[in-house]
Amino acid sequence: MNELGLLSNGVNPVLLIVVPLALAFAVPLIGFISKKIIKYIPVLAFLFNLIIAILLIPKVLHQPIIVKIGGFQPPFGINLYVGTVGILFSTLIALAGFLVSIYALNYIKEGPKEKYHILYLLLLTGATGVVLTGDIFNLFVFFEILCISSYALVAYFGNRAGIESSIKYLIQGSVGSSLLLIGIGLLYGQFGTLNMADIANQIQSASSPSIFVPMVLMITGLGVEAAIFPLNAWLPDAHSSAPSSISAILSGIAIEVGLYAVIRVLFTIFGASNFLMFFVFLGVLTLLIGEMSAFSQKNIKRMLAYSSIGQIGLIVFAVSLNTQYGVSAGLFQMISHTLGKGLLFLAAGYMIYRTASMDISSFEGIGKKMPYTSLAFTIGTFSLIGLPPFIGFPSKFMIIKAALAKEGILFTVLVGLVLLGTVIEGAYFFRVVQVIYFKKGNGNQERKEAPITGLIPMFIFALLIIFIGIYPNFIIKILNSAASELLNKIDYIRSVLG
Amino acid sequence: MRKIIGIILLIIICWGIILALYKIPFGIPKTKVGEYYIDKGREETGAANVVTSVVLNYRGFDTLGEVTVLFIAAIGLGAALATLKKKEKRKIEPSSLILRTGCRFLFPLILLFGAYIFIHGHLTPGGGFQGGAIIASAFILVYLGCRGRRISEVSSKTTESLGGLIFVIIGLVGLAVGGHYFLSNFLPKGELNTLFSAGIIPIIYIAIGFKVGSELAGVIDNLMEES
Amino acid sequence: MDFLSNNIYYIGAFGLIFIGLFIILVKHNLIKVIIGISILETGVNLFLIAVGYISKGTAPIFSRPGLNAKNMVDPVPQALVLTAIVIGVAVLALALSLAIRLYKHYGTLDLRKIKEQRW
């Protein structure tokens, strides 16, 4: 007998979800002992998750792990499907969660801090659950954990803008999740099961109305969180009025997880390759609308939020090309966006804190006052625009290459539009960089840098951006394996149902 | 204008759903997973109430998520209302003797009924969430009847976290001893239809009952302070 | 008439869903919108229960020996609805607390007058 069941056959991936959850439940109890140590709990939890996720990567690349909760055979019990995509995303979530929780040590000074840390832990627990689960109703539950804790966190400061955008987000989000639930109900009524692999096994084609309607309902419901074009009215408000550490998570993790859910439902459950042309257009539309709205913004956080919409459009475009290369390019762009946008929001957070204004024009001369933060901000913008040697360059390059590999004049036109989007992106980001470095600020020029707990996560983000930008082959293998997992529905079904 | 667009949108959705519903005629016999639970549920989990065995054993992970959602709501509500709290003493008109005595008389009875519902969750209709809601209703009665009485924040917070922690820890113990599966039912199943049966199910339901009761009471307490 | 009696639960459930969606789309008062969300969720829950129903079925509880398992309704939708109800309560509580905050800030709940944020 193995007395340490936790360590039998390596580490059980369910710990990635359970440990942060248990710590979140324990926070109020720990708070009775000492209020000071609460803020270190998220740091510990996500350091643990990061280590476990990295340890699991080689094993998962070899073969996906199926975790049966309660020991019941799928489709009768809930199972976790820890494939390459799942482990890739949970590593990303743990990494961003770890770095942003270091940032929050000094950044979160006001308000009910204990509650902030609980909600933060639960937000990322929900995200990890969504990417790992293999059961469609379980996906809904974790999705709700993710959404409800982000509604609460957007309203954290309790100012006018925060409350108002939180309400907007809540109304749209709860309509979306009701639609998702109707879709799940329709699927259950037809197939009598909630296991994703079992449903996928029984769906032959997505064209008949009895399959098409639940698909549309589910994509609409998940698309609210993923911020695909007509469903993203909440995003700029919510991202700009949340605390900056939360904006980084919402922008870097929450939208990506929403997109993951859309992709998983579309590719694995419905196998809907004949509807993907629609998403190609939707992606380009989202990209252009996002970038154009970002161009006309004067508020730095709103600009970054609209830029997120643009990036989401780019990812949707790449993934719906439906080729191996295109899907891995899309996933690469997701990683690039998480790192880049996370860095930008963190840097912007302290720039806003020091100047006490979100207006871009108030950043004049801040390059002298906060040299390190400004440098980090600049690296983030260059990476998002797609300049070498940063991570944005190989990912955007891959997307363009994947799109050009498709035959036809149509894709050439679309690539032209994508490049136009990148040019607009370059224009507004260069404008900010120019304000930071080349405009003389009025008043005192004394240096007042961000505290060290703010600088460390920014520089780890920046180092990762440069490192992967120079050695993209480092993760290309993982991305290829992830892309084939998403495209190969048969293997998914076989590995779950046996 | 907005109304017309809304109606058109709804008619489109309505038409689509009617098309999809043709495949799901009403009142048909059970589907495959449901049939399995009814046939095998008693042996595999030991609970006479099949719904409970689905909620806490087959789909126990969902329930853990559900408990978490309620926890988030309680915490988020506290966070949203936190900065507003001004501890001003409002003058409260004392309630009449009959009302006060009635509340005091009913309060323990309602608590007992709630506890009965969640302890017998694996035998009769009911369970932790329903029992917890009944317990919270006892606290509403006290708030409305014996005005000025409040639950202590410390004890409600402790109950909340302990309830959640017990659920997770039982799951982890299952991972360690019960065949290495999270939330596996590692305790003896006992005899069907008796109080001490169904392994971990009654323990988890008791934890959930306490947790839901204190959480809902806390939510009501927070909202009452604002109004 | 036969159609009506065969599908009465579906009709009721989707009636509630449409009423809820219509309220959310058309009304401007925040409390009414929250009520709309609540009605929508109730409709979805009723729909889920209706999916699992069997004509003349009983609750899936073996409370005494000799019950016919053939007549029992599907237990899975009931478990799902339990989860969905709790999630609905959570969203409702959070929405109401935000509404209280919003009212303290603006002194009104009319969504047309609350326009700090713009596109």
Side-chain angles (χ1 to χ4, degrees), chain A residues 428-443:
Chain A
Y428 64 75
F429 273 140
F430 275 128
R431 207 179 62 206
V432 182
V433 172
Q434 186 219 4
V435 168
I436 288 175
Y437 281 114
F438 302 112
K439 283 263 177 77
K440 269 256 169 64
N442 49 345

Side-chain angles (χ1 to χ4, degrees), chain A residues 435-477:
Chain A
V435 168
I436 288 175
Y437 281 114
F438 302 112
K439 283 263 177 77
K440 269 256 169 64
N442 49 345
N444 52 346
Q445 291 288 329
E446 64 181 302
R447 281 179 61 157
K448 199 143 189 264
E449 198 38 84
I452 190 78
T453 51
L455 287 177
I456 290 174
M458 284 184 223
F459 273 84
I460 297 177
F461 269 130
L463 282 178
L464 279 171
I465 285 173
I466 296 171
F467 178 75
I468 303 177
I470 296 174
Y471 302 104
N473 289 335
F474 175 64
I475 54 170
I476 292 282
K477 189 184 152 209

Side-chain angles (χ1 to χ4, degrees), chain A residues 195-204 268-270 489 493:
Chain A
N195 189 287
M196 285 192 203
D198 204 11
I199 295 174
N201 196 17
Q202 295 179 49
I203 288 182
Q204 304 303 329
T268 304
I269 297 183
F270 291 101
K489 185 176 157 177
I493 295 168

Side-chain angles (χ1 to χ4, degrees), chain A residues 146-298:
Chain A
L146 171 69
C147 291
I148 296 178
S149 43
S150 34
Y151 307 150
L153 280 171
V154 168
Y156 178 73
F157 281 148
N159 50 8
R160 282 184 165 210
I163 299 285
E164 187 195 332
S165 36
S166 172
I167 288 218
K168 250 187 206 172
Y169 187 12
L170 188 143
I171 292 171
Q172 299 186 14
S174 53
V175 172
S177 44
S178 292
L179 293 182
L180 174 62
L181 199 51
I182 299 174
I184 291 173
L186 288 174
L187 281 185
Y188 180 78
Q190 288 171 53
F191 302 117
T193 174
L194 290 161
N195 189 287
M196 285 192 203
D198 204 11
I199 295 174
N201 196 17
Q202 295 179 49
I203 288 182
Q204 304 303 329
S205 119
S207 308
S208 77
S210 59
I211 308 290
F212 183 71
V213 172
M215 182 176 88
V216 171
L217 289 172
M218 288 177 72
I219 298 294
T220 317
L222 294 167
V224 172
E225 184 70 10
I228 299 171
F229 162 58
L231 309 167
N232 54 14
W234 59 271
L235 187 139
D237 297 348
H239 286 205
S240 60
S241 46
S244 288
S245 49
I246 295 306
S247 310
I249 290 294
L250 287 182
S251 218
I253 298 296
I255 325 178
E256 255 81 353
V257 169
L259 261 183
Y260 159 84
V262 170
I263 293 168
R264 179 61 96 194
V265 166
L266 209 56
F267 279 86
T268 304
I269 297 183
F270 291 101
S273 49
N274 34 351
F275 298 106
L276 285 175
M277 210 47 220
F278 173 68
F279 283 92
V280 169
F281 290 117
L282 208 57
V284 174
L285 196 63
T286 312
L287 169 72
L288 289 177
I289 287 176
E291 303 293 16
M292 278 179 201
S293 320
F295 186 74
S296 58
Q297 294 301 317
K298 292 193 174 61

